[in-house]
Amino acid sequence: MRKELDEALCAKYPLIFGDRHKPMTQTAMCWGFSCGDGWYNIIDTLCGMLTSKYRQAKSRYDYLAESGVGGILYGTKTVTQEDLDKAKANMEEEAAKVPVAVQVKEKFGGLRFYVQAATDEHYNYISFAESMSYRTCEVCGAPGERYTDGWHQTLCEVHAKEDGREKNEDDEDDGDE
Ligand SMILES: [Zn+2]
């Protein structure tokens, strides 16, 4: 994946990609995003889902903190220190649950998004994103399908033609079932 897209993902999701520049003895994220630019939107959307609860908790805390103790919310409620503490604790709790990526790459024509630990909900999002990659051209992001002649790759018709790829006739199962 090209540098600008790599940097954009790291800047947008620091909790997920905090290990991007750690040494290879600690994480495979040091290699960056080992897949084509065409999967940028899938990864971006996935990370949006993985951080959605944290972002909700953060915007609630930010809102309360801005009002400050004694501030008036919704025209009636007065913000207390307890409200602030609770919102902060909730935000920190959600931040701790955001999965940290250890490797993002292409394998057998599909996206692999490996994390240190995650909830079942997170694993469902990851699984959905990986399934979408088998239907999305890795080069340009257009609808595509997996080619299995030689090395496996998921491509749109244009990029398959460019590479001289041929569809396997017996390729009914796309490997994502
Ligand atoms: Zn394409």
Side-chain angles (χ1 to χ4, degrees):
M1 183 172 284
R2 73 189 141 95
K3 197 167 174 264
E4 302 94 276
L5 298 182
D6 179 322
E7 285 172 353
L9 288 170
C10 293
K12 202 165 170 188
Y13 307 105
L15 291 176
I16 297 178
F17 301 118
D19 289 354
R20 171 66 183 85
H21 296 289
K22 286 203 178 155
M24 68 172 111
T25 48
Q26 288 179 32
T27 177
M29 271 319 293
C30 62
W31 308 116
F33 299 82
S34 306
C35 65
D37 294 356
W39 289 347
Y40 174 84
N41 281 327
I42 294 178
I43 296 170
D44 185 26
T45 307
L46 169 62
C47 293
M49 298 303 291
L50 295 176
T51 53
S52 68
K53 282 186 177 160
Y54 163 70
R55 283 182 291 116
Q56 278 168 23
K58 183 179 186 305
S59 68
R60 174 160 172 78
Y61 172 73
D62 288 346
Y63 185 57
L64 290 176
E66 202 177 308
S67 303
V69 174
I72 307 294
L73 284 187
Y74 316 117
T76 51
K77 191 183 176 330
T78 306
V79 178
T80 64
Q81 186 61 48
E82 197 192 352
D83 291 334
L84 263 181
D85 293 346
K86 255 191 196 165
K88 189 164 190 234
N90 183 241
M91 176 179 72
E92 286 167 356
E93 204 176 294
E94 291 301 335
K97 281 191 228 160
V98 173
V100 174
V102 295
Q103 190 172 26
V104 180
K105 65 173 185 178
E106 176 277 338
K107 189 178 181 188
F108 300 132
L111 174 71
R112 296 292 186 280
F113 194 96
Y114 298 119
V115 292
Q116 274 176 15
T119 63
D120 285 349
E121 187 186 356
H122 291 150
Y123 281 121
N124 285 337
Y125 296 143
I126 291 169
S127 168
F128 182 78
E130 291 179 345
S131 295
M132 281 306 294
S133 72
Y134 285 105
R135 295 156 192 268
T136 306
C137 177
E138 193 188 342
V139 179
C140 72
E145 57 186 292
R146 193 165 71 137
Y147 289 77
T148 55
D149 55 317
W151 73 101
H152 294 190
Q153 211 177 1
T154 301
L155 297 166
C156 66
E157 278 183 29
V158 174
H159 286 112
K161 211 174 226 175
E162 228 169 60
D163 279 0
R165 302 300 299 260
E166 278 178 31
K167 269 180 219 174
N168 277 10
E169 289 191 1
D170 58 348
D171 193 30
E172 289 301 312
D173 62 319
D174 257 337
D176 52 346
E177 283 154 21

